[in-house]
Amino acid sequence: MTILLEQEIRDALDTVKDPEIDAVSILDLGMFEAMEWTETAVGYDVRITLLPTFLGCPALEIIQKNTESALLQVPRVNTVKVVFLFDPPWTSDRITEQGIAGLKSFGIAPPRVVDGKWEIDCPYCGSTFVSIENLFGPTACRSILYCKSCKNPFEAMKPVSTLM
Amino acid sequence: MTEAERLALASLLYQLADDDFLYAYRGSEWLGLAPHIEEDVASSSIAQDSMGHAAMYYQLLEEIGEGKADALAHVRLAHERKNSVLVERVNGPGYYMENPEYDWAYAVVRNYCYTLAKKVRIDSLKKSSYAPLAALAVKINMELYYHLLHWQTWFTQLYQSTETARQKMDAALERVLADFGDLFDYGEATQLIDEMQLMEDQGVLLDRWYQALTPVLVDLNVTLPEMNMTYNGRNGEHSPDLNDALSTLGEVYLLDQSAVW
Ligand SMILES: [Zn+2]
């Protein structure tokens, strides 16, 4: 029963997409940290812990609401509480393989840190011959770049790492 | 924790929270006025991150019984504020809605000097004896990396451009340093903050700030003006600029106190 519920919750979390990048879910981004529940006569009271990517990210509130409504669709789930914690800190190495593929399909270079330095490959042609046009992009977590090989502008997700 | 210790912790958290709150507000006033569209995006992104940092410090204050985070941010009066005077100063004459004559050189110098100091403080907070604060510092540090890179680039590029730019930068540096004296100060809470090992001694932090800044200034052939203190913001002493900022900030909040900001 509990294994089934856990799987159902995970499936529901996988339907919650980043409001600004609908190719990746909060699971793909590694924002999910923990789930707990207590059983009552009327069903389950579920508590989900998420890790914010950037502390001032205005999308957090939307993610919180979307997570709540997705989980309320799960059978027997009665109440949902979503909390954000900054400890442990979210770091970009929490993004899954599937998340990396999703970002690329959206034209966003996934964050990559090699030897404490930010490495950026063009999501279209894979070239590393790129220039940073603006460190700050349309959202807190993204930068604007230009590929000098295939001449495409693109965005990159900023690495967030304790190594930098 | 004794009540005296709790108050010392609260004092430190107010200093950190109010600093980022006012810094973010002054940054957000540049929206639509920054030198170019890319900078508009960058400045507002940094302001948004910094407002997020302030919100987390207010959250920690709520957790130690100081009241609701939103109210702590918005309804405390000027004499209750513990931010450094540097971050409350106006961006220039006029209001952003009406004839703003903002000084970009001042913005760049203030933001660079403040962000470099924030980096030094955050590195110290990572070792704080108060675990929730140490954990928050780890998270903020990762975002700060980009802020510092951004302002350091502006700082060096403006100093290396025209003679006029250099003069404006020198004048701005003069004004920033005139207010910088309270930045690493802990005010009345100094002794307990030290005893509780919440954060390192202000002299140690100031030395680290000088050490980080000196190579940049040497490269640019800039002499650092004398550092002074006009008011000690850590003890609730402020310039009239703070009152104006708070009434603008408060106006929005008091319109609808239940709104999420
Ligand atoms: Zn390319």
Side-chain angles (χ1 to χ4, degrees):
Chain A
M1 187 56 140
T2 57
I3 291 171
L4 181 64
L5 181 63
E6 182 176 339
Q7 191 54 51
E8 284 174 328
I9 290 176
R10 278 189 177 274
D11 291 345
L13 289 171
D14 206 31
T15 68
V16 182
K17 305 297 177 185
D18 180 322
E20 280 142 349
I21 317 168
D22 62 14
V24 291
S25 76
I26 57 171
L27 278 187
D28 298 332
L29 282 175
M31 291 177 72
F32 169 71
E33 173 65 11
M35 63 169 96
E36 295 164 80
W37 60 78
T38 49
E39 195 172 357
T40 67
V42 286
Y44 295 101
D45 295 331
V46 179
R47 183 186 161 94
I48 302 290
T49 307
L50 300 179
L51 309 180
T53 51
F54 276 69
L55 291 171
C57 178
L60 292 180
E61 206 190 320
I62 303 170
I63 290 173
Q64 184 172 29
K65 288 206 179 93
N66 293 351
T67 304
E68 281 166 8
S69 39
L71 290 188
L72 287 171
Q73 304 296 312
V74 176
R76 303 176 313 284
V77 168
N78 190 42
T79 67
V80 179
K81 188 168 171 58
V82 176
V83 292
F84 286 99
L85 281 190
F86 52 79
D87 184 22
W90 180 86
T91 48
S92 36
D93 53 14
R94 293 177 64 104
I95 302 174
T96 65
E97 287 296 320
Q98 202 177 324
I100 289 171
L103 286 171
K104 279 186 184 168
S105 77
F106 209 73
I108 297 176
R112 205 154 65 85
V113 175
V114 181
D115 297 331
K117 286 185 72 184
W118 186 6
E119 294 278 328
I120 308 165
D121 319 321
C122 169
Y124 301 111
C125 74
S127 168
T128 52
F129 190 42
V130 301
S131 62
I132 298 184
E133 297 293 300
N134 194 344
L135 204 47
F136 296 89
T139 69
C141 58
R142 282 140 75 183
S143 300
I144 300 168
L145 293 96
Y146 181 74
C147 175
K148 292 178 178 171
S149 296
C150 72
K151 315 246 183 283
N152 272 309
F154 65 95
E155 289 178 17
M157 204 163 166
K158 289 188 197 120
V160 170
S161 165
T162 48
L163 302 171
M164 292 173 78
Chain B
M1 208 184 289
T2 66
E3 178 59 9
E5 286 170 344
R6 192 191 69 81
L7 288 174
L9 172 61
S11 175
L12 178 62
L13 290 172
Y14 279 123
Q15 295 174 27
L16 297 163
D18 292 341
D19 271 358
D20 277 342
F21 185 64
L22 268 303
Y23 173 72
Y25 172 69
R26 290 302 182 199
S28 72
E29 282 191 312
W30 274 100
L31 187 63
L33 302 171
H36 48 68
I37 182 76
E38 285 81 10
E39 184 49 37
D40 222 36
V41 174
S43 296
S44 45
S45 186
I46 290 173
Q48 194 176 69
D49 285 350
S50 307
M51 197 51 98
H53 303 168
M56 297 314 302
Y57 291 126
Y58 288 123
Q59 189 61 46
L60 292 186
L61 280 159
E62 182 174 329
E63 284 164 19
I64 60 165
E66 288 290 299
K68 283 280 171 205
D70 275 5
L72 295 178
H74 287 104
V75 299
R76 286 162 50 245
L77 300 171
H79 72 269
E80 300 171 284
R81 299 278 169 169
K82 294 193 184 293
N83 58 278
S84 163
V85 171
L86 178 71
V87 291
E88 74 199 27
R89 293 290 192 191
V90 292
N91 289 307
Y95 284 97
Y96 72 100
M97 301 285 280
E98 207 181 323
N99 310 321
E101 288 174 44
Y102 290 176
D103 181 348
W104 184 244
Y106 179 69
V108 167
V109 175
R110 165 161 67 181
N111 295 351
Y112 176 54
C113 290
Y114 176 77
T115 306
L116 192 60
K118 182 167 168 178
K119 171 68 181 158
V120 168
R121 294 160 87 203
I122 286 289
D123 279 339
S124 180
L125 285 173
K126 286 196 276 182
K127 298 172 277 182
S128 176
S129 65
Y130 188 59
L133 188 51
L136 177 57
V138 170
K139 181 67 190 160
I140 290 177
N141 185 54
M142 295 190 250
E143 301 182 10
L144 202 55
Y145 175 85
Y146 298 101
H147 300 187
L148 191 55
L149 197 59
H150 182 75
W151 295 123
Q152 184 157 328
T153 305
W154 264 109
F155 186 83
T156 51
Q157 285 184 353
L158 281 187
Y159 254 121
Q160 286 168 331
S161 63
T162 64
E163 193 48 42
T164 313
R166 205 179 162 90
Q167 281 166 11
K168 287 188 174 180
M169 291 294 282
D170 279 342
L173 195 57
E174 192 95 21
R175 284 169 58 209
V176 165
L177 267 290
D179 280 333
F180 213 82
D182 66 354
L183 214 135
F184 290 108
D185 203 291
Y186 300 115
E188 288 145 0
T190 303
Q191 197 188 338
L192 271 178
I193 286 172
D194 183 50
E195 281 174 23
M196 293 165 73
Q197 297 182 342
L198 293 175
M199 203 168 164
E200 287 161 289
D201 179 73
Q202 61 160 301
V204 172
L205 300 189
L206 187 59
D207 274 350
R208 284 185 200 145
W209 183 80
Y210 279 130
Q211 275 168 31
L213 186 62
T214 302
V216 178
L217 295 181
V218 167
D219 273 357
L220 297 167
N221 195 20
V222 173
T223 316
L224 198 64
E226 200 186 333
M227 188 180 290
N228 268 307
M229 195 194 292
T230 41
Y231 304 89
N232 190 343
R234 307 308 186 193
N235 289 338
E237 302 159 15
H238 296 283
S239 72
D241 291 1
L242 180 60
N243 252 330
D244 296 343
L246 293 178
S247 51
T248 306
L249 276 158
E251 239 168 63
V252 182
Y253 176 73
L254 295 171
L255 279 179
D256 180 3
Q257 297 206 22
S258 61
V260 182
W261 52 282

